[in-house]
Every structure is written in C-alpha cells, then in structure tokens.
Amino acid sequence: MQMPNSSNENETSGSSLTLQNRDNMSAGTVSLERELASTRRLLWGDHVKEDVFRRWAQGFHFSPDEPSALIQQEGGPCAAIAPVQGFLLKILLSETVGHSLQDLTTEKCNSVLVRAVCLILGQCLATKYNVAVYRKNDTEGQTSSGLNVSAEELSCDAIDHFHRRIEVHTFKAITEVEAFYTRNIRILKDKYGVLLLLYSVILSKGVEAVEMELSELSDPLIHSTYGYGSQGLINLMLTGRAVAHVWDHEQVVGGLRLRGIENQNDIGFLTIMEHMQYCTVGSFYKNPKHPVWVLASETHLTVLFSFERRLAAPETAGESAERIFRSFDPEGNNFIPSAALQDVLCAADLVSEPEYVELMRRKLDSENLGIILLSAFMDEFFPGSERGAPDTFTLHHYNGLSRSNPGGRVVYRTGRAALLECPMRAATTDPMLTCLQTKWPSIDVVWDDGQSPSLN
C-alpha cells in the first residue's frame, strides 16, 4: 500500500488504505470510501459551512506560557480539545506529584499527548484501530500564516479536499497506535490534527456502533451552524460511548428508554446547564476515578483539576443524601417543605412508607412550621457523617481560548476552595461557582488573581 507522502511520517507495520488513487480502487478502498462518507455525514450532516470546518482545522499545540496546556484557536473544537486536555492532565497528575507542571519538557508533553489520544481511542474497545492521516500533496507549501495550503485546496471546497486526501492506517493493538503516533507526532500537531483524531475515533469504533448509541438522535455531532460539538460527541470522547445523556444508566422519559453513562469514568463532567435544570449529571460523571472534570458552559468546554486525590473518592452515604436533599432546595435555603420529605427519603433509598414518613415529619418539624432543616435531617439519618472530600483544597482551571485568559496567555489558573458549613448558594451570580456548586453545593473558591476564570 502507498504510505503517507510526508517527510515527518515514517514506516509502520500497520496496513494502509488511501482514496488518492481512485483509478485503481480496490474493494478495501471502496469500503473505506463508504466509511469515510458515513463518518463525514455523522459529524457534519449533509451540508458543511466552510467557516465551521475551517475552525475545526487545527492541530494540537501547546501554550508557550504553560507547557502542557493545549491552545484552542477558534470556537468549536473544544469538544475534542478539552477531553484530550482532561486525559493529558489525568496522566500528569499521576506522574508529576511533588513537581511543577511548569518544568515539563516539550518531549514529555508530546509523549503525554500521544498517550492521552491513545486512552481516548482505547475506550472505544475496538477490534482494530483505524488511524486517519492527512496525506499531503508534494506541491503543498506554506502560507504567510504558517498553515499548509495547496493549490488544489485553494481551488476547491476545503472539506472535499480534506476527505480526498485522508489515508487510514489499521492496527491490531493500541500499543501499535501509540508507537505510530510517537514516530509521527506531526499527524496530531499539523493543521488537521484535531479532525484526524475525531475521524480515527469514529472509524475505530465503527459508524454503525456510534449511530446505535445515539439511537433516537439524527442531528450531526458537530452543529452545522455554530460548530460546537454535541453531547453525544463529548460523551464519545470522554467515555468511548456516544450516548446523548449525562445521567447514570438509563432513564425512561415519555415512554422512551434513554441511555446515559454506564460506569464511573476516568475523568468527570460538570455543566452549568444542570443549575439551569436542563439536565441532571449522574454520580458516575460527578465522581470520576481521577480529580479531573470537563466543565461545560452553554457554548464552551474547559477543564478543572486538582492534585487532591481525595476529591475523586466516591460519595459517602451522607454526602449522597445531602446532595439529594439540596436538589429539593434549589434556592439554597438549607430547608425543604415538610411535604417533600417522602420524595427525599425515596430518592435517598431510605424508608419511605407513608406511616414512617408521617412520624419523621412530626419529629423533624416539631413546631409545625411546614419546613424541615437540612441540619435536622442529617442529624436524624446520618449522625456524625463524615465527608469523603477534605474541607479545603486547591483547584486549577484550564481554558484553551487565548481571548478567555488574562493577557491572552493560556495558563492554568489556581484557586483555594473551601466547603462551607452554611452555603449561600442563591447569592452567587458567578458562572464558575454556579457550575461547581452542582458537584459541591457548599463550595466557595478564592482565585489567586481575585477573579473567577471564564467558562466561555
């Protein structure tokens, strides 16, 4: 098979297929063309806006001001960049304990980037791994902006040009993929690196498998007008499954069985949309195996992380019950209507028989005020309950957009967090704090420079 025509790409033991020589198209290449056409449709729909595609056409580049922080050039590709950043940080948190992230070398960061990408591909549990490569034309040169552009690309639709020059390498094991990317790091760092990873994930998992997981949805994974990634795409990158919802397991809504997250994930996900009551993030996402969370605003994804390992511990029974109690107290008043007690007990998997509930209601609302205090509820059902998480800890935040960082420098922002005894949840209009309170209802954070980082 013909190998990529690029001085940066070396020989590999993986098999390869290309669409470039259409006159001598084999059965395997025809199959590849169908898969690529299906992948294109799945990602972009039937019509792709030129400016949306061009916003996604970037490689994985590190910030000159923060060695391990990836830069996002335009709005849109955060659905791929933020998950890669999350897995990259998961690796670094395990390997740089006691060391500064500022001391990382370029070689180390490139190595961790490859490993992060392979973790994402590995989650697909594929029988084989199909790695997409952009095959450069010999005549491609450099524009004044430093991007590789050929005469062919300038004379035709950019996305058609991109698809005509995709080559796919097939590997049996993820270790082979890691070795291939390590030898050919430019695949990830050149102009189409982010898109090539998306295509590799879908081609490895299989278009039919992705469509089956999306089930009831028919919209493309990338919004045709605004260019942002769907929840199905975000979940595919974070978990290896393209389900459309963020709750635990399945829920029946309007007679439909809708699939969510099936297991505790390596890294987590929180969204300000939960505060707005558009969705409910389940425990699997809120309590990941590692203290790293992708944060979602209405339009952008960023990443929160901490070196405090105890933040990734599963909820204690008391923490779970407190979270459920607070879900019935959206104003943050630290009490609920006494009439809601049965629903709280039921949601917390406590005894909820009507006779018992009435007994507890009279006990917890002895003055017949019509409310039940959080403190009284916890003292009754979880006396002496301890937190799994510490009361104070340090958080770090990443936002890949230069314009969203002070001075335009993409760096990690640091904050000192505390879990308060008496939260003032209703008092904040800070989007960052609002988002974090969906995980830690009583949290307050003081950021080092005095301003909360931007979620957008």
Side-chain angles (χ1 to χ4, degrees):
M1 293 294 182
Q2 193 173 16
M3 298 302 296
N5 185 16
S6 170
S7 60
N8 291 319
E9 294 166 4
N10 303 317
E11 291 296 317
T12 174
S13 59
S15 60
S16 167
L17 289 172
T18 176
L19 297 184
Q20 186 64 20
N21 189 356
R22 292 169 182 264
D23 294 333
N24 300 309
M25 195 174 284
S26 66
T29 310
V30 172
S31 176
L32 169 64
E33 185 173 48
R34 292 194 186 117
E35 280 289 291
L36 281 171
S38 297
T39 301
R40 172 176 175 167
R41 205 160 39 246
L42 184 64
L43 279 170
W44 307 99
D46 294 327
H47 304 286
V48 188
K49 288 181 65 175
E50 190 86 2
D51 68 311
V52 168
F53 177 77
R54 290 187 183 279
R55 277 190 274 137
W56 277 81
Q58 73 154 88
F60 291 99
H61 303 295
F62 291 108
S63 168
D65 303 300
E66 189 75 65
S68 60
L70 295 168
I71 293 176
Q72 180 179 337
Q73 295 169 354
E74 300 288 346
C78 57
I81 294 174
V84 171
Q85 183 71 54
F87 279 98
L88 189 152
L89 286 165
K90 172 220 161 190
I91 296 169
L92 290 177
L93 293 183
S94 301
E95 298 183 356
T96 58
V97 178
H99 302 283
S100 171
L101 295 179
Q102 280 287 333
D103 297 334
L104 296 169
T105 64
T106 299
E107 292 74 17
K108 174 67 174 178
C109 291
N110 284 342
S111 171
V112 175
L113 171 62
V114 168
R115 289 165 61 192
V117 164
C118 288
L119 285 176
I120 290 173
L121 280 168
Q123 291 182 132
C124 295
L125 303 177
T127 56
K128 61 182 180 179
Y129 296 95
N130 294 316
V131 176
V133 174
Y134 174 72
R135 187 178 182 277
K136 293 180 183 177
N137 191 316
D138 293 338
T139 61
E140 288 192 55
Q142 295 286 326
T143 66
S144 59
S145 63
L147 296 177
N148 288 316
V149 178
S150 67
E152 178 186 3
E153 184 175 9
L154 290 172
S155 63
C156 71
D157 186 290
I159 192 168
D160 287 338
H161 169 82
F162 171 70
H163 283 89
R164 277 199 291 268
R165 304 203 65 82
I166 285 181
E167 182 170 285
V168 176
H169 296 259
T170 299
F171 302 91
K172 294 180 179 179
I174 199 67
T175 52
E176 297 176 2
V177 178
E178 183 174 341
F180 176 68
Y181 273 135
T182 300
R183 291 193 302 272
N184 304 290
I185 188 68
R186 297 312 311 175
I187 293 171
L188 296 172
K189 306 198 85 169
D190 277 348
K191 178 179 178 181
Y192 294 113
V194 171
L195 283 174
L196 290 171
L197 174 59
L198 283 189
Y199 279 72
S200 298
V201 169
I202 294 173
L203 290 169
S204 295
K205 186 175 178 71
V207 174
E208 287 186 5
V210 174
E211 289 176 336
M212 185 173 64
E213 288 173 351
L214 289 169
S215 60
E216 74 279 2
L217 298 183
S218 58
D219 292 335
L221 293 177
I222 296 173
H223 195 282
S224 57
T225 301
Y226 302 109
Y228 54 73
S230 70
Q231 190 64 54
L233 178 57
I234 296 167
N235 288 343
L236 175 62
M237 297 296 288
L238 291 179
T239 73
R241 297 177 70 246
V243 295
H245 306 285
V246 293
W247 50 57
D248 292 345
H249 302 303
E250 296 180 345
Q251 288 192 18
V252 177
V253 179
L256 296 175
R257 191 172 295 276
L258 306 180
R259 287 179 287 185
I261 308 304
E262 283 298 319
N263 302 288
Q264 183 187 27
N265 205 47
D266 275 344
I267 62 178
F269 178 82
L270 305 174
T271 173
I272 198 169
M273 304 302 283
E274 181 171 19
H275 171 79
M276 300 173 182
Q277 301 184 348
Y278 285 109
C279 67
T280 299
V281 180
S283 181
F284 289 144
Y285 255 162
K286 284 185 177 173
N287 301 287
K289 296 177 183 177
H290 302 270
V292 182
W293 294 264
V294 169
L295 306 183
S297 70
E298 300 94 326
T299 59
H300 187 45
L301 298 177
T302 60
V303 181
L304 181 82
F305 65 101
S306 176
F307 283 93
E308 177 51 76
R309 298 291 310 176
R310 289 179 292 172
L311 293 180
E315 284 183 314
T316 64
E319 286 176 326
S320 176
E322 180 177 343
R323 172 175 52 79
I324 291 167
F325 186 100
R326 292 186 186 280
S327 72
F328 287 84
D329 174 29
E331 300 300 322
N333 296 318
N334 291 322
F335 63 79
I336 59 170
S338 58
L341 179 60
Q342 184 172 25
D343 291 335
V344 172
L345 293 175
C346 184
D349 286 329
L350 298 170
V351 178
S352 57
E353 295 300 322
E355 297 82 2
Y356 177 77
V357 172
E358 184 57 33
L359 178 67
M360 286 296 101
R361 184 182 290 119
R362 288 199 298 267
K363 182 176 181 180
L364 298 176
D365 183 17
S366 57
E367 297 184 20
N368 201 28
L369 298 176
I371 62 171
I372 293 173
L373 298 175
L374 172 61
S375 57
F377 175 85
M378 295 301 294
D379 288 344
E380 176 64 32
F381 294 102
F382 299 93
S385 176
E386 295 183 358
R387 293 184 188 273
D391 289 330
T392 60
F393 46 90
T394 299
L395 294 173
H396 306 277
H397 182 257
Y398 154 87
N399 189 328
L401 287 170
S402 297
R403 63 175 180 263
S404 299
N405 288 267
R409 299 168 61 245
V410 176
V411 296
Y412 301 136
R413 306 276 301 282
T414 300
R416 318 297 166 179
L419 303 182
L420 307 177
E421 288 294 327
C422 298
M424 294 297 291
R425 186 168 180 172
T428 183
T429 57
D430 177 1
M432 170 64 75
L433 198 57
T434 298
C435 185
L436 298 187
Q437 284 176 344
T438 63
K439 157 76 176 164
W440 299 285
S442 62
I443 196 171
D444 190 32
V445 187
V446 177
W447 297 93
D448 280 0
D449 59 3
Q451 291 186 333
S452 286
S454 173
L455 290 180
N456 294 313

